[in-house]
Amino acid sequence: MITAGAITLGCDYNPEQWPPHVWQEDVELMAEAGVGLVAINIFGWSDVEPRAGDYDFERLDTVVDLLHSRGIRINLGTGTASPPPWLTTRHPEVLPVAADGTTRHPGGRQAWCPSSPVFRRYALALVEQVAKRYARHPAVALWHVSNELGCHNALCYCDTSAAAFRTWLQQRHGTIDALNAAWGTTFWSQRYGDWAEIQPPRAALSLRNPGQVLDFHRFSSDELLGCYRAEAEVIRRHSAIPVTTNFMVTAHIRNLDYWQWAPHMDVVANDHYLDHRLGDPVAELSFAADLTRGLAGGRPWMLMEQSTSAVNWQPYNVAKTPGQMVRNSVTHVARGADAICFFQWRASPQGAEKFHSALVPHAGTDTAVWREVLHLSAVLGRLAEVAGTRVVADTALVFSWPAWWSAEGEGRPSEAVGYLDQVHAVHRELRRLGVTVDVVAPGADLSGYRFVVVPCLYAVSDGDAQALNDYVAAGGHALVTFFSGIADEADRVRLGGYPGAFRDMLGISVEEFFPLLPGDTLELSSGGRAGVWAEHLHLRTATAISTYTDGPLPGVPAVTRNAFGEGTGWYVATQLEPAALRDVLSQALTAAGVARTGPESDGSLEVVRRCGGDRSYLFVINHGTAEVEVPATGRDLVEDRDITGSLLVPAGAVRVVREEQPR
Ligand code: GAL
Ligand code: ZN
């Protein structure tokens, strides 16, 4: 990626937190660990511009040269992630404002309004200086704009943002009448006579207008993308080196529509941390990696941040078990990453992240973490030839941020229906079935896929719905899950029976939702169980695969199948328990003729293939506690030995086989 023909190992480095004598030791240890790419100056603003307009690059120059002297390449931060105190003191108007009108103050990070022209002026002045100074430095391999744009400040409700929102709305809707129509403002006497009357969806006494909330999400994502583009434009005036920023494709961040962002990145980079608040953090990692690959259009991408062990921002910050960091890393590589980077190099002795793990822990290098870093470095070294190859999948999953925002809007039928939960549920069972999944945007070209899953795509435009319906009509196989195709892109319900967007393709019509109370379950004629949701569903042209045998809708279909054109549309009208969902997916996969990359498992085994030119690589990651056997023939790069017919992977181990018969 950054170094051709290598899987890069990298990290964030914050030398400003350390006295210069530590820097020397740092670069020596980096060289020992084979660190090839180091991100610096991410939070460097107050260091390189200690007073307005007074730039001091001496320390950064030294660090840049020091890294260069050891052949380490630099991922250079523009430094704009967090404004220094002099800026927010001089210009308190750049501070962000929450939905309730209260200001978010400095003292943490990212305390700036994405729409603030004042913030932007100061930020771009800094970017100009940094870009000018380092554009021709031979060590600089990548530009790192800001940091995790929108991590904390995605939704700002200040007056400056309100004005920017109005301008954005004029561009989107053209006329005030069109806006009134899109937002359904006849409801609750909300009709606007003039743009000036429109506010961001600030905290209200009751449920807020869903169209307004949805547009505010879109606007906010666009505003931050605008910040990225403004910085990238300054950099590109001085430099031809690739520019990126670190995405947050992860379970707890949802405010950026990265399908809109991805085309503006020279390389797609993601930050990912295992989230122990989720039921299955390892499966979520695989999903996030697949989605990141989708954003990269299938091309190799970078893991810009992960942790060597615990983080410090979850309620229980679980340390990684032996081998887990290597498994996590190789899972990202298996799913398309060509660079594995970490936050951060050396654990901070102070500051808000002092209990966050690092490559060099507080305890130093005589530690399990450091030894595992060295091990990872060796493994990535052996995988060098994988760089540039691509994951191949014949199953796609349709994913949408606006669908996420609107599906979880206020006033929905059941708060138990979480968008990401529904997406994860489907992805998790496909993963257990040994199927590799590409994640695609609504409206994407589906013609290369045998099977497409559409979980909880609540809001969808006519065009994007048509793309799916056409795909099925032309012979594709699609499986749609409940609370999909309900509304259009303005969150207006499609009338005439749910799911309006896919009713014909699925050959059904739903007259009423029957959300269940927590703990209530339904029995199915297929023997499985379901919960959370049911629907009063009528078959039109579809046939029932299973029906409810108890609950409020006895005899009503829960899972259906429909022949549509040359293809097949499956519908799952309830939240099936995992085994029942797996069973339906399995039937649909077989009907679609999908090839499995690996054997079925309880999720503790993942098998993924990367292909390129005349080579293919089979990645086998054993997250489980027992040895597994997988059919393979070729060269195991991790163990450097030949495999004939059967690959034995010990508990907790990873293997990568260059296949004798490339796929
Ligand atoms: C990321 C961020 C890093 C660091 C890390 C801790 O969100 O980009 O600066 O805070 O999380 O896990
Ligand atoms: Zn604002």
Side-chain angles (χ1 to χ4, degrees):
M1 155 108 357
I2 290 308
T3 312
I7 306 287
T8 305
L9 175 66
C11 61
D12 275 34
Y13 180 37
N14 297 295
E16 61 276 4
Q17 296 177 12
W18 299 91
H21 72 264
V22 180
W23 304 349
Q24 193 63 48
E25 185 188 308
D26 285 335
V27 291
E28 272 150 33
L29 287 173
M30 284 173 187
E32 183 189 336
V35 168
L37 183 73
V38 164
I40 49 173
N41 198 40
I42 308 289
F43 292 100
W45 196 341
S46 71
D47 200 53
V48 297
E49 191 183 359
R51 286 161 299 278
D54 184 358
Y55 299 99
D56 175 4
F57 287 109
E58 209 187 303
R59 272 178 310 282
L60 194 54
D61 286 350
T62 308
V63 170
V64 165
D65 290 337
L66 196 55
L67 290 165
H68 183 48
S69 72
R70 305 306 297 244
I72 298 166
R73 313 203 65 200
I74 294 171
N75 173 15
L76 188 56
T78 56
T80 57
S82 228
W86 59 254
L87 200 163
T88 46
T89 304
R90 183 189 277 208
H91 293 290
E93 72 273 23
V94 309
L95 295 174
V97 171
D100 65 357
T102 56
T103 297
R104 289 298 173 262
H105 296 281
R109 65 173 172 185
Q110 221 175 48
W112 52 274
C113 161
S115 301
S116 166
V118 177
F119 176 82
R120 181 154 322 173
R121 184 161 41 103
Y122 281 93
L124 295 188
L126 173 63
V127 177
E128 179 90 42
Q129 295 292 324
V130 174
K132 253 204 325 234
R133 189 170 192 92
Y134 299 104
R136 262 165 295 281
H137 197 290
V140 176
L142 184 65
W143 293 102
H144 185 302
V145 168
S146 192
N147 187 62
E148 292 192 340
L149 285 156
C151 177
H152 312 283
N153 66 347
L155 306 175
C156 180
Y157 299 80
C158 78
D159 289 340
T160 304
S161 295
F165 184 40
R166 283 176 211 119
T167 306
W168 183 94
L169 288 168
Q170 287 182 32
Q171 274 159 17
R172 180 171 175 88
H173 296 286
T175 65
I176 197 83
D177 288 347
L179 176 136
N180 279 310
W183 289 7
T185 54
T186 47
F187 183 81
W188 282 355
S189 178
Q190 292 176 350
R191 203 191 143 272
Y192 295 100
D194 191 274
W195 298 102
E197 296 163 6
I198 302 171
Q199 299 295 338
R202 295 189 174 118
L205 288 172
S206 68
L207 304 179
R208 297 170 298 170
N209 182 306
Q212 183 183 6
V213 173
L214 179 56
D215 268 352
F216 190 64
H217 271 291
R218 290 195 175 100
F219 155 78
S220 300
S221 175
D222 285 357
E223 284 295 272
L224 282 156
L225 174 57
C227 296
Y228 171 83
R229 294 182 67 185
E231 289 201 23
E233 198 184 298
V234 173
I235 295 167
R236 289 193 177 110
R237 279 209 298 272
H238 298 282
S239 165
I241 290 163
V243 186
T244 192
T245 190
N246 41 352
F247 287 179
M248 298 165 286
V249 175
T250 184
H252 63 285
I253 303 279
R254 58 165 214 169
N255 286 327
L256 298 315
D257 181 354
Y258 287 131
W259 292 123
Q260 307 300 321
W261 287 52
H264 300 280
M265 306 294 133
D266 292 334
V267 47
V268 165
N270 192 43
D271 292 354
H272 188 271
Y273 293 92
L274 281 185
D275 193 333
H276 291 278
R277 295 166 294 195
L278 299 172
D280 192 343
V282 172
E284 189 276 333
L285 183 154
S286 301
F287 170 73
D290 286 346
L291 175 48
T292 307
R293 183 179 71 254
L295 292 164
R299 286 177 289 278
W301 51 277
M302 300 179 67
L303 181 70
M304 191 69 99
E305 290 184 22
Q306 66 168 339
S307 61
T308 56
S309 194
V311 298
N312 70 314
W313 43 265
Q314 291 174 21
Y316 306 97
N317 294 296
V318 179
K320 290 190 181 175
T321 52
Q324 192 177 12
M325 188 265 278
V326 169
R327 286 195 301 280
N328 292 165
S329 303
V330 174
T331 304
H332 285 295
V333 176
R335 293 175 187 274
D338 271 7
I340 299 296
C341 308
F342 291 83
F343 177 86
Q344 64 174 334
W345 167 249
R346 203 182 261 281
S348 308
Q350 57 191 145
E353 292 181 327
K354 60 185 182 295
F355 292 123
H356 195 289
S357 63
L359 281 82
V360 182
H362 287 154
T365 52
D366 187 11
T367 49
V369 165
W370 178 252
R371 283 185 282 274
E372 189 149 339
V373 167
L374 298 183
H375 177 52
L376 173 67
S377 178
V379 170
L380 296 183
R382 285 173 223 146
L383 300 185
E385 62 181 89
V386 172
T389 59
R390 293 185 181 208
V391 175
V392 277
D394 54 10
T395 295
L397 183 155
V398 178
F399 185 88
S400 158
W401 276 274
W404 188 350
W405 301 329
S406 47
E408 296 185 0
E410 298 163 1
R412 59 185 150 152
S414 170
E415 67 172 34
V417 180
Y419 177 72
L420 206 55
D421 294 342
Q422 300 302 317
V423 169
H424 284 165
V426 172
H427 187 273
R428 188 171 55 232
E429 297 318 319
L430 288 168
R431 181 175 167 275
R432 286 178 177 166
L433 287 164
V435 174
T436 305
V437 179
D438 277 351
V439 182
V440 301
D445 175 13
L446 300 171
S447 57
Y449 296 103
R450 285 179 184 274
F451 184 48
V452 176
V453 287
V454 185
C456 201
L457 191 70
Y458 165 79
V460 60
S461 70
D462 289 352
D464 293 348
Q466 185 75 40
L468 182 72
N469 295 333
D470 288 350
Y471 159 79
V472 175
H477 293 244
L479 182 142
V480 178
T481 74
F482 68 93
F483 217 40
S484 290
I486 305 300
D488 69 7
E489 73 278 15
D491 200 356
R492 290 176 292 214
V493 172
R494 295 173 177 280
L495 304 179
Y498 313 123
F502 306 125
R503 199 168 50 219
D504 294 341
M505 185 264 282
L506 298 170
I508 55 161
S509 181
V510 172
E511 65 172 90
E512 195 175 5
F513 304 138
F514 275 71
L516 305 185
L517 291 170
D520 286 358
T521 62
L522 297 169
E523 197 179 60
L524 303 171
S525 59
S526 54
R529 295 197 76 81
V532 175
W533 187 269
E535 297 181 343
H536 189 174
L537 181 152
H538 301 279
L539 299 173
R540 295 277 183 252
T541 52
T543 51
I545 301 291
S546 68
T547 54
Y548 306 107
T549 56
D550 62 3
L553 299 164
V556 170
V559 179
T560 65
R561 175 185 175 153
N562 185 47
F564 181 70
E566 305 292 306
T568 306
W570 300 73
Y571 185 60
V572 178
T574 182
Q575 183 170 304
L576 298 172
E577 61 168 14
L581 178 57
R582 197 155 62 241
D583 185 49
V584 173
L585 283 167
S586 188
Q587 292 176 49
L589 289 164
T590 304
V594 170
R596 317 266 177 114
T597 324
E600 244 180 270
S601 81
D602 59 359
S604 61
L605 176 65
E606 42 198 292
V607 182
V608 185
R609 184 175 278 117
R610 284 182 68 162
C611 303
D614 54 355
R615 292 162 299 143
S616 69
Y617 300 91
L618 194 70
F619 283 73
V620 184
I621 298 134
N622 184 357
H623 301 280
T625 50
E627 182 180 70
V628 293
E629 187 182 347
V630 176
T633 296
R635 185 88 185 158
D636 172 14
L637 303 178
V638 175
E639 293 286 286
D640 201 21
R641 62 190 178 89
D642 287 329
I643 304 297
T644 325
S646 151
L647 173 70
L648 291 174
V649 186
V654 299
R655 295 288 183 263
V656 181
V657 177
R658 186 205 305 122
E659 296 176 297
E660 194 176 278
Q661 304 259 290
R663 308 296 173 97

